[in-house]
Every structure is written in structure tokens, then in C-alpha cells.
């Protein structure tokens, strides 16, 4: 069995890890960084880039550079969060045929799982080139608070990237796994995870390889990006006040400002004051305008204190749901880059009444936990048992648009619930069922997962037909629904009208498209390599002709010159096969020059220490 890697698919950055000799290790990317920006950029010719290069392009081509796609995973376009993201993102967010929030680059539309798949593919490549083997299986982490649509979208992304997603695990659970893997004593741990775009809090009990999540809570749209945005708003407001120019109307300026705001935020985690300089950020009739500002840590803290406070409600909720008092917790683990901010650390310490644990790297611990789970599944390390919970209640819509819960939030998964449905009108030919996830009382306020029509039902008076519907939540937190007609005992085929997300056909089509991309990319690479080799050979052959023209037979020179010209032509035509042929032909004819010069002797490279003489 090959390695099962662990991928932390973050809003801002991604991290990939594997287990070596029982120890989780982060895999650095080709540039040597241990995390890779979750950024995809598209060039005019359709070529796409992922990671640091893409992030750099974001400054000059903001409209074709996609950041923070995780924030759109599994979201309907009309949802509040998608609208908020669309307003602030420098790229276009549009409505797909099925009502989901998609991204438009040039003429082409991309679903969020497609973009995430590009990031996952990059992480797979990072792992493959480091480990020197093909990788086909992964554990991918998601925020504990992701709903079914968001989890399904993540699994779809994995599939599109050619990865079999062996398990989806929750980020805080993964972090706890990395922290407590070798811990034998029983411990109660809170994992506070504030990343780029999401916030999660989970309370766990850890004992001898069993990681039992007691409760989880959070907000899938709260994170470091909100802090960046608050800072951008503030800097843009100050700039408008002094120049009258609104930088928010200019996508390129806005992107530059966003970059600087994030950088300033990072600096203020270790220093008390920082400078922000953006020369030539705008201009008007009086000439170019520069943004120069000094920002104090205290100013940033006043600006974003409320955002951080929003994480405390879910912390309270998680403790209540777990039935655990703050003082009963043994450790508080901080996860996610945003927890590097001193104010986050102090608010967490105040809330829980103890200093958080400092022994884990908040950027890497999630991927390491995922890798451990992968290694456990592959039998490389001791088995671990992750008993996770569903973060949101699952239920159906009943009369009057009321939400009837079948599985209550914080129930350990996998879990199952059954319900008998019937008709409300005589001779009704089908039973409509609307499956939802959430905590609100009315159906319309919750996330719609799917609508089913159980059909056909035999004609009967109302209330007589009995259809048993089983709702399953698997260990990945993904919902499945089965139906059985109790009258006939027949398992019914249910027609699923997916409320949103990608269908199996969509995924298949995207994979095929990705394959085409792969083929074109591969062709491009081969052509570039052939060109390089051809140019190197042309260079040496041209020099050989120049230097040996008088010393070898004329027909040899004439042949080499003809082959040189033909190879130049093939390079200009960009024809890989012709370049390869031309390369081989020229190699043979150019050898003849060498043969004529050195006689028919075979020659090797000079041995070490030997001196090559020109004469
Ligand atoms: P993650 O999703 O865990 O990669 O977290 C990324 C978030 O952490 C982004 O919003 C970053 O700006 C933020 N972040 C990373 N390093 C720091 C730092 N030193 N100080 C404050 N925020 C940081």
C-alpha cells in the first residue's frame, strides 16, 4: 500500500505531511516552504499557477487570481456569506446554473471544488516529488463546523485532484491527534482553531489512542481575513479622508492594500508599531498619491477586538454542550495562523483561565494529525480511534415549514436515524422530503441539503402508506439517505434533486477536463525540454562547424549545416516530434566532425585530476 498523506486544506495556506518511522513530518514545497499559499492564478493562455507564484501574480492580476476559495465551498450564491465574499474578493463571484457561488475568470466558470482541486493537486505534487512515489490517497481536513455541503464539496475537490479521500477529519480533531498521539494519560483538551477564514472550537477527551470529541462549535466565516479586511477598510478610510480617493474602487490598489495590511498584521504580532508604505497607489489631477501610514499594535487591537470576541460565544457553547467546566480542562491548544496574534492569545487565556499550550506549531499541527490518521489507516502506526461529532443537527421539513430534528448536533458519528413518512392527501402518488442541516426552528433558515420525492406510492387513503427513511452520517460527517416502502418491503429508488453542489457527472466532466489540462501541460513540458536540448546541441554544433570547417571533409560540414538549419526550423515551428528527430539527426552528423577530428578513437571524459590540453 502506498503512503496516505495528510493535507490541511486551509483558507490561506495548505500544509502536507506524511509519517516516517512513526513520526509525522511536514513536507516542504519546491521553494523550501513548509506551507503553500492556497492561491490559484490563471494566465491569458489558460495556464494556471498555484502557490507562491500565484500569490505574487495576485498583486498585478487580481481579477484572475483566486484567494480564499474555501470560503465559497458548498455555498449558495445568494447566501449572506457568499455575497460578503463576492463584495470583497478582487475576482468575480457568479451564480452557477444550480444557484451555487462559482468563480468567473475571463469567459470560464469554475466551481469552488475545481479551484480547491488545483491546490490539492499541487500538494500532491509536493508530496510526490519529495517522497519519489505516486500518491493516490489522502486524508483531508475540514473545519469541524463545515456542514454536509461543504464536506461533500471537499471530497469532490479531492476526487477531481485524483486523490481517493480516505477520510475527511475535522481540523481540531487532527490537531488533538498530533498533540496527544503518544499521550497515555487521560486528558481533557480544548482546541481553539482560528485560521484565515474559519473558526472552530472543539472539546475532546484523550485517553490511550481514543480521541473522543465531546462537543464542537464555531463559525465557518470568521478568521484572519476578517481582520485583514477591517484593517483594509481603516486604511482606505484614512486615505480617502486625506486625498478624497476611494481605493476600494480600484481592484489592483485594493489588492496591494490587502497584501500590505496582512503583512502589517503579522509584524504587529511581534512588534508594537509598523509602517505601511504603498507608493503610487493612486493618482488624480494633482499627480500620483502614496499611502504612508504608521500603525500601532494597540490601534489594530481596538479595530479587531470585536472580531476576536466573536470566537468566545462558540467557546461558551462548546463547554456547555460538552458538560465540562473551564477549570476541568487540562490543556488549551492553539491552532491556525491567526492565533499568533497576541490579543487572540490573551483573550483565550482570559476566557479559559489558563495559558494556552505552546508546544505545537499552529500552522503544521493539523496536517501532522491528518498524516497520523493516514498512517493509522495504512497500518504504519498504532490504531487510533477518532470519535468525532456532527457539528449541526440534521432533520427534515414538516408541515408549516417547521424544521424537525432527527439527529441532534454533537452526536458522535457515525450515526443513524430512522423516520416513517406518509402522505397527507388521499391517493397521493409521492411523498416529498426536504433534508436540512442547522439549528434554527424554521426550515428556511437552515441549510438545505437535498429534496427527495419518494415515488411512486400505491394509491391509498392519506396516512396509510408508510415509507421508512434512514438518515446516516458517516465518519466523514457526510449525510446519506435511503428509503424503503414498508407496504411492499421494496427498497425505493429515490429521486434526488441536489439543492446545490456538484453531481457525480459534474465531477466526472471536470476530471476529464483536468486530464486534458494535464496532457497539454505535459506536452508543454516535453516541448520545453526538447527545445532546451536542441538549443544546447545547436550551440555546440555551430561552434564545431566554425572551428573545424577547414579541418574536415566538406560533405560532413555541408550535412551538419543542413541539419542545423532543419533543427532551427523545427524549433520555430514548435513541433516536438520534428525537434526530436532533428536532434537525433544532428547528433549523428555532428559526431562525424568529432570522429574526423579525433580519428576513430572512442574518448571518455578526462579522469579527475587530468589536465585537458588545447593543443
Ligand atoms: P491558516 O488558515 O491556519 O493558515 O491561518 C492563516 C491566517 O493566519 C491568515 O489570516 C494569516 O494572516 C494569519 N497569520 C499568520 N501568521 C500570523 C502572525 N504572525 N500574526 C497574525 N496573524 C497571522
Amino acid at each position: 500500500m502506498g503512503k496516505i498523506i495528510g493535507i490541511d486544506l486551509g483558507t490561506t495556506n495548505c500544509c502536507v505531511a506524511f509519517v516516517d518511522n512513526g513520526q509525522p513530518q511536514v513536507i516542504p514545497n519546491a521553494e523550501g516552504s513548509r506551507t503553500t499559499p492556497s492561491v490559484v492564478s490563471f494566465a491569458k493562455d489558460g495556464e494556471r499557477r498555484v502557490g507562491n507564484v500565484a500569490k505574487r501574480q495576485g498583486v498585478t492580476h487580481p481579477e484572475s487570481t483566486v484567494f480564499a476559495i474555501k470560503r465559497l465551498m458548498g455555498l449558495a450564491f445568494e447566501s449572506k456569506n457568499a455575497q460578503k465574499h463576492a463584495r470583497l474578493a478582487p475576482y468575480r463571484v457568479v451564480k452557477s446554473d444550480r444557484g451555487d457561488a462559482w468563480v468567473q475568470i475571463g469567459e470560464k466558470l469554475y466551481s469552488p471544488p475545481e479551484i480547491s482541486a488545483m491546490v490539492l493537486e499541487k500538494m500532491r505534487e509536493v508530496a510526490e516529488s519529495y517522497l519519489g512515489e505516486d500518491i493516490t490517497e489522502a486524508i483531508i481536513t475540514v473545519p469541524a463546523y463545515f456542514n454536509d455541503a461543504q464536506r461533500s464539496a471537499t471530497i469532490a475537490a479531492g476526487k477531481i485532484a485524483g486523490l481517493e479521500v480516505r477520510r475527511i477529519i475535522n481540523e481540531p480533531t487532527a490537531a488533538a491527534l498530533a498533540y496527544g498521539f503518544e499521550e497515555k494519560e487521560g486528558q481533557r483538551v480544548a482546541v481553539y482553531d482560528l485560521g484565515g477564514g474559519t473558526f472552530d472550537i472543539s472539546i475532546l477527551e484523550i485517553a490511550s489512542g481514543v480521541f473522543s470529541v465531546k462537543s464542537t462549535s464555531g463559525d465557518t466565516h470568521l478568521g484572519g481575513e476578517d481582520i485583514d479586511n477591517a484593517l483594509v477598510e481603516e486604511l482606505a478610510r484614512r486615505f480617502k479622508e486625506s486625498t478624497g480617493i476611494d481605493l476600494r474602487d480600484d481592484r489592483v490598489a485594493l489588492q496591494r492594500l490587502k497584501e500590505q495590511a496582512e503583512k502589517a498584521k503579522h509584524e504587529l504580532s511581534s512588534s508594537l508599531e509598523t509602517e505601511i508604505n504603498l507608493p503610487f497607489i493612486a493618482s488624480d489631477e494633482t499627480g500620483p498619491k502614496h499611502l504612508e501610514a504608521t500603525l500601532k499594535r494597540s490601534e489594530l487591537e481596538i479595530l479587531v477586538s470585536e472580531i476576536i470576541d466573536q470566537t468566545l460565544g462558540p467557546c461558551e457553547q462548546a463547554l456547555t454542550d460538552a458538560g465540562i467546566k473551564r477549570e476541568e480542562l487540562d490543556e488549551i491548544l492553539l491552532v491556525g495562523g491567526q492565533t499568533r496574534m497576541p490579543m487572540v492569545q490573551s483573550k483565550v487565556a482570559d476566557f479559559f483561565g489558563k495559558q494556552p499550550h505552546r508546544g505545537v506549531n499552529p500552522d503544521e499541527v493539523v496536517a501532522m494529525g491528518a498524516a497520523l490518521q493516514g498512517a493509522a489507516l495504512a497500518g504504519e502506526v498504532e490504531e487510533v480511534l477518532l470519535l468525532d461529532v456532527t457539528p449541526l443537527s440534521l432533520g427534515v421539513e414538516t408541515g408549516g415549514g417547521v424544521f424537525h430534528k432527527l439527529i441532534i448536533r454533537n452526536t458522535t458519528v457515525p450515526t443513524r436515524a430512522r423516520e416513517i413518512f406518509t402522505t397527507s392527501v388521499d391517493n397521493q402518488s409521492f411523498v416529498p422530503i426536504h433534508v436540512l442541516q442547522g439549528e434554527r426552528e424554521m426550515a428556511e433558515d437552515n441549510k438545505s441539503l437535498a429534496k427527495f420525492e419518494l415515488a411512486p406510492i400505491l394509491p391509498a387513503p392519506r396516512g396509510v402508506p408508510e415509507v421508512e427513511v434512514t438518515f446516516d452520517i458517516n465518519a466523514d460527517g457526510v449525510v446519506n439517505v435511503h428509503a424503503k416502502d414498508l407496504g411492499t418491503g421494496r427498497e425505493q429508488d429515490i429521486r434526488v434533486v441536489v439543492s446545490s453542489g456538484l453531481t457525480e457527472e459534474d465531477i466526472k466532466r471536470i476530471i476529464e477536463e483536468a486530464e486534458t489540462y494535464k496532457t497539454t501541460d505535459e506536452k508543454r513540458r516535453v516541448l520545453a525540454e526538447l527545445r532546451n536540448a536542441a538549443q544546447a546541441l545547436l550551440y555546440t554544433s555551430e561552434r564545431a562547424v566554425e572551428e573545424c570547417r577547414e579541418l574536415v571533409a566538406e560533405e560532413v560540414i555541408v550535412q551538419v549545416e543542413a541539419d542545423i538549419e532543419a533543427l532551427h526550423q523545427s524549433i520555430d515551428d514548435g513541433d516536438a516530434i520534428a525537434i526530436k528527430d532533428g536532434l537525433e539527426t544532428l547528433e549523428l552528423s555532428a559526431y562525424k566532425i568529432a570522429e574526423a577530428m579525433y580519428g576513430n578513437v572512442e574518448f571518455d571524459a578526462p579522469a579527475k585530476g587530468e589536465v585537458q590540453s588545447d593543443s
Side-chain angles (χ1 to χ4, degrees), residues 175-176 179 187-193 199-204 206 312 315 319 324-335 339 344-360:
Y179 159 80
Q187 283 211 33
R188 284 173 163 173
V189 176
V191 183
Y192 177 104
D193 181 356
F199 170 65
D200 269 334
I201 173 82
S202 292
I203 313 279
L204 294 100
I206 308 176
L312 302 179
C315 291
L319 284 168
I324 289 178
K325 296 196 187 70
R326 299 165 203 219
E327 53 277 16
E328 289 171 337
L329 289 169
D330 296 298
E331 276 307 349
I332 321 293
L333 299 189
L334 292 184
V335 181
T339 60
V344 172
Q345 297 172 4
S346 62
K347 281 196 189 269
V348 171
D350 287 350
F351 179 85
F352 287 102
K354 67 160 59 73
Q355 284 303 323
H357 177 80
R358 296 190 176 273
V360 297

Side-chain angles (χ1 to χ4, degrees), residues 586-613:
L586 178 59
E587 241 164 24
L588 288 178
S589 59
Y591 272 155
K592 295 225 170 74
I593 300 184
E595 264 173 23
M597 292 298 294
Y598 298 102
N600 267 340
V601 267
E602 286 194 7
F603 47 94
D604 295 326
K608 241 190 187 160
E610 236 175 295
V611 179
Q612 245 184 323
S613 146

Side-chain angles (χ1 to χ4, degrees), residues 12-13 195-196 224-225 262 265-266 269 336-338 340:
T12 325
N13 292 300
E225 293 241 337
E262 189 184 5
K265 176 186 79 173
H266 289 193
S269 288
Q338 193 54 55
R340 292 189 192 277

Side-chain angles (χ1 to χ4, degrees), residues 39-61:
V39 182
V40 179
S41 71
F42 297 84
K44 280 224 163 57
D45 61 0
E47 198 184 337
R48 54 189 199 220
R49 300 203 169 91
V50 182
N52 278 312
V53 247
K55 189 172 180 182
R56 281 196 291 277
Q57 184 185 303
V59 180
T60 47
H61 297 86

Side-chain angles (χ1 to χ4, degrees), residues 11 22 54 61 70 204 244 265 367 384 397 449 479 500 563-564:
T11 309
H61 297 86
K70 188 171 172 181
L204 294 100
K265 176 186 79 173
V384 286
E397 178 172 349
L449 296 186
V479 179
S500 69
D563 293 343
I564 286 176

Side-chain angles (χ1 to χ4, degrees), residues 348-574:
V348 171
D350 287 350
F351 179 85
F352 287 102
K354 67 160 59 73
Q355 284 303 323
H357 177 80
R358 296 190 176 273
V360 297
N361 181 329
D363 303 319
E364 301 177 355
V365 66
V366 170
M368 285 160 75
L372 276 168
Q373 166 73 91
L377 289 181
E380 287 174 34
V381 294
E382 249 179 68
E383 258 186 63
V384 286
L385 182 59
L386 297 187
L387 296 173
D388 231 311
V389 295
T390 177
L392 300 161
S393 303
L394 181 76
V396 290
E397 178 172 349
T398 54
V402 172
F403 180 43
H404 168 61
K405 291 176 185 167
L406 292 167
I407 297 173
I408 306 298
R409 75 158 184 270
N410 286 324
T411 302
T412 303
V413 290
T415 184
R416 168 173 291 187
R418 286 206 178 87
E419 187 95 357
I420 308 281
F421 291 89
T422 187
T423 50
S424 56
V425 179
D426 289 345
N427 297 324
Q428 196 172 312
S429 59
F430 65 91
V431 180
I433 293 176
H434 188 190
V435 186
L436 302 125
Q437 207 170 25
E439 303 311 317
R440 305 277 298 272
E441 295 301 322
M442 299 308 292
E444 62 177 13
D445 297 324
N446 295 294
K447 171 78 187 170
S448 164
L449 296 186
K451 284 182 176 159
F452 298 94
E453 277 176 12
L454 301 173
I457 303 278
L458 294 176
R462 72 192 182 108
V464 172
E466 286 192 327
V467 178
E468 180 190 76
V469 184
T470 310
F471 300 83
D472 273 307
I473 303 184
N474 68 16
D476 292 338
V478 171
V479 179
N480 289 298
V481 185
H482 317 274
K484 191 174 171 189
D485 186 339
L486 294 184
T488 60
R490 235 178 333 134
E491 302 277 337
Q492 281 221 25
D493 266 346
I494 40 182
R495 193 149 57 84
V496 183
V497 187
V498 182
S499 308
S500 69
L502 297 176
T503 60
E504 278 302 316
E505 286 90 73
D506 290 335
I507 296 175
K508 221 171 119 212
R509 177 184 50 76
I510 295 166
I511 292 175
E512 279 162 14
E513 269 178 28
E515 279 303 318
T516 333
Y517 249 114
K518 228 182 252 166
T519 324
T520 9
D521 285 355
E522 176 67 10
K523 276 193 188 140
R524 247 194 234 135
R525 186 185 59 75
V526 168
L527 184 61
E529 282 175 6
L530 279 171
R531 269 204 179 114
N532 269 350
Q535 265 147 1
L537 181 64
L538 281 169
Y539 177 76
T540 48
S541 311
E542 280 162 354
R543 273 195 60 191
V545 167
E546 219 171 90
E547 286 170 16
C548 309
R549 187 180 291 280
E550 308 301 324
L551 308 171
V552 294
E554 195 187 342
E555 68 262 27
V556 172
I557 296 292
V558 169
Q559 184 58 50
V560 173
E561 281 183 330
D563 293 343
I564 286 176
E565 202 187 316
L567 187 53
H568 271 300
Q569 189 57 51
S570 310
I571 292 178
D572 289 347
D573 295 345

